[in-house]
Amino acid sequence: MHHMTSEGLNQTFASEFFLLGFSDHPQLQSTFFTLFLLIYLMALLGNILIITIIGTDAHLHTPMYFFLGNLATLDICCTTSIIPKMLETLMSETKSISYSSCLTQLYFCSTFLGTELLILALMAFDRYVAICNPLRYTNIMSMEFCLTTVIAIWVSSLVVSFVHTILITRLSFSERIELDHFFCEIPPVLKVSSSNTLINDIVILAADVFYGMFCFLLIVLSYIYILRSVFKMPSAANKRKAFATCSSHLMVVTLFYGGIIYTYVRPALNVTGENDKVASVVYAVVSPVMNPIIYSLRNKEVKGALAKMMQLKIWSSKM
């Protein structure tokens, strides 16, 4: 595909990309396929189970579990936008993805990742209000506030991802582009462009400051105040309960933010590394399957609701 620029120069756009993925290890392709298929199925089942538990148990219709339900939905969307195509390319000899499909995957993937960063920050704020201002919790974290904020988060992420995608359509590429990655993501796509990506880098850095640094700072500040309040609690039982509700969220944040910052902030600062694919696997593949495990195994309310749901199913099957 050719397009004439305002300077009258031919600008060539790729008709397709070739996802190299894990082609450095051809003997392990079938092993990777089996592994990622199992991870995908576990992520789907785990997150669908979390959504079902929250939806069916009236005791879990609270802001914290509303956000957790959104997080589970995002994990399903994120893995579905990445893993099925990755499985296809693992078993394919050509390992190609069309230019339009690549941009579509890139758009939705960045939308889901950006939304998840903001939801995790909102969950930290929820824990801050619950522990530091418990008497005002119902007024501050009203369902109207939660719903409005989540909608605003989704809309803003869709808009920001649209800007990223439009800026990428302005770039030129060779007709055959080999992408040293297992899915279409902004940093590796920019890396193979033959155009000047300065504007893209500036926009990415601005988005990183907001989505990454600002949200991470909000989480850190929330937990500083939470820890101060927890240490002032006279009851050891209350301290344990507060730590239990926060530790799961902190584990998820550490896992997700670590990979995101590594993948998106470094390229924007022109710092390169060899572990990009590993970092992407952590937040795009491992994190979605770990989230339901972390929240269900470390949460008495979720385990209780699951046990109650199973008992009802067993009882109804005997009727």
Side-chain angles (χ1 to χ4, degrees), residues 162-219:
F162 182 74
V163 172
H164 285 312
T165 308
I166 289 297
L167 287 173
I168 287 173
T169 61
R170 298 171 61 251
L171 303 177
S172 60
F173 301 89
S174 303
E175 286 196 23
R176 178 187 169 89
I177 281 290
E178 291 185 344
L179 207 62
D180 191 17
H181 211 54
F182 57 89
F183 70 100
C184 288
E185 196 174 16
I186 295 171
V189 169
L190 293 183
K191 195 175 177 181
V192 297
S193 172
S194 54
S195 301
N196 186 329
T197 61
L198 179 63
I199 295 172
N200 300 74
D201 292 335
I202 291 169
V203 173
I204 288 171
L205 192 58
D208 288 341
V209 169
F210 176 68
Y211 282 104
M213 302 306 176
F214 173 74
C215 291
F216 189 70
L217 184 63
L218 181 63
I219 291 170

Side-chain angles (χ1 to χ4, degrees), residues 266-316:
R266 284 182 321 99
L269 297 173
N270 291 318
V271 181
T272 57
E274 296 299 318
N275 299 316
D276 293 4
K277 284 183 275 191
V278 176
S280 295
V281 165
V282 169
Y283 66 77
V285 178
V286 177
S287 183
V289 78
M290 288 301 293
N291 289 354
I293 295 170
I294 291 168
Y295 278 110
S296 60
L297 290 180
R298 300 178 62 86
N299 191 304
K300 287 182 180 178
E301 289 176 311
V302 172
K303 284 192 285 187
L306 176 60
K308 193 162 60 176
M309 191 171 74
M310 294 301 290
Q311 285 171 356
L312 283 171
K313 284 203 169 189
I314 293 167
W315 185 78
S316 61

Side-chain angles (χ1 to χ4, degrees), residues 232-293:
K232 288 177 183 177
M233 290 177 181
S235 168
N238 287 341
K239 284 182 181 180
R240 281 195 299 272
K241 186 179 177 182
F243 276 124
T245 58
C246 295
S247 59
S248 299
H249 182 250
L250 275 175
M251 288 171 70
V252 171
V253 166
T254 304
L255 191 66
F256 192 74
Y257 269 80
I260 287 286
I261 290 170
Y262 184 90
T263 303
Y264 282 84
V265 176
R266 284 182 321 99
L269 297 173
N270 291 318
V271 181
T272 57
E274 296 299 318
N275 299 316
D276 293 4
K277 284 183 275 191
V278 176
S280 295
V281 165
V282 169
Y283 66 77
V285 178
V286 177
S287 183
V289 78
M290 288 301 293
N291 289 354
I293 295 170

